[in-house]
Amino acid sequence: MALQTPAANPALASLRDIQTPVEIGLWPIAYGYWILIIIALMSSIAIFVYLSKRRKHNAAKRAALIELAELDLKATHYIANVSAVLKRAAMSYCERNLVASLSGSTWHKWLSQQVKQPPTELCELLSLSYQQQPLTESQAIALKQCAEQWLKNALPLSTTKSTSNRLSQMEAK
């Protein structure tokens, strides 16, 4: 059999060559990929916003820890300086009028209520504030360590109404 030419067979004249489809390119991206890209982008933005807010919220805690580390252990008013650092850090997280007026045993009670395990050594060392003899070096180091521990465990404080309720209960006692 010989090949037929289109002129010889009129039915073959109307046929065309097979057309191959166009190659699938990378663009435009399918809808599923767009959704995946949007979800990944939104998640990244949300994580970034969360971490930046968390960093900003913990800024007072970091500043207090740095300030505490820079205090001179042999200063004459070292205990008062440590107490002032603790008080400034606490005022950064709750209302000023709740913390600023606290002193003595009410201040120690308030410090103890902010953590799960009360810092008895911290309160004992803070109570030595106006003694005639200054702190020994080991007491000053212990005070610094206790204050650092309190800052790390207690801050950031919860700024709920329970703090003000606990404070009013303390003052009533």
Side-chain angles (χ1 to χ4, degrees):
M1 274 186 51
L3 287 175
Q4 294 181 356
T5 61
N9 189 352
L12 291 177
S14 64
L15 291 177
R16 298 187 179 172
D17 287 337
I18 296 175
Q19 298 285 326
T20 57
V22 179
E23 277 190 37
I24 299 173
L26 294 177
W27 210 255
I29 299 176
Y31 293 121
Y33 288 115
W34 279 113
I35 292 171
L36 188 64
I37 289 169
I38 290 171
I39 289 172
L41 189 62
M42 296 297 279
S43 299
S44 300
I45 291 170
I47 289 170
F48 177 76
V49 168
Y50 170 76
L51 291 176
S52 63
K53 282 185 179 183
R54 183 175 169 200
R55 180 169 172 76
K56 200 178 287 186
H57 188 65
N58 289 331
K61 178 180 179 177
R62 284 192 313 275
L65 286 168
I66 290 170
E67 188 176 350
L68 185 65
E70 292 174 351
L71 288 178
D72 181 22
L73 295 173
K74 296 177 183 171
T76 55
H77 299 292
Y78 180 70
I79 299 172
N81 293 340
V82 170
S83 185
V85 168
L86 294 176
K87 199 171 276 197
R88 274 195 303 274
M91 284 189 291
S92 297
Y93 291 102
C94 61
E95 295 180 27
R96 180 181 174 85
N97 60 356
L98 292 176
V99 180
S101 62
L102 296 176
S103 64
S105 62
T106 55
W107 171 239
H108 300 156
K109 286 180 187 176
W110 189 87
L111 286 173
S112 297
Q113 288 180 342
Q114 304 310 312
V115 291
K116 292 179 182 174
Q117 291 186 341
T120 54
E121 187 179 5
L122 174 66
C123 295
E124 289 171 2
L125 291 170
L126 286 175
S127 65
L128 299 174
S129 180
Y130 297 105
Q131 301 296 321
Q132 283 184 334
Q133 48 199 5
L135 290 177
T136 63
E137 188 173 341
S138 62
Q139 287 176 324
I141 292 171
L143 176 59
K144 183 177 184 177
Q145 290 172 347
C146 291
E148 280 180 7
Q149 196 65 29
W150 186 88
L151 287 170
K152 289 176 182 176
N153 292 336
L155 297 183
L157 297 172
S158 62
T159 56
T160 60
K161 292 181 181 180
S162 65
T163 305
S164 59
N165 290 342
R166 281 190 259 153
L167 184 62
S168 61
Q169 290 173 356
M170 270 188 342
E171 290 173 352
K173 291 180 182 179

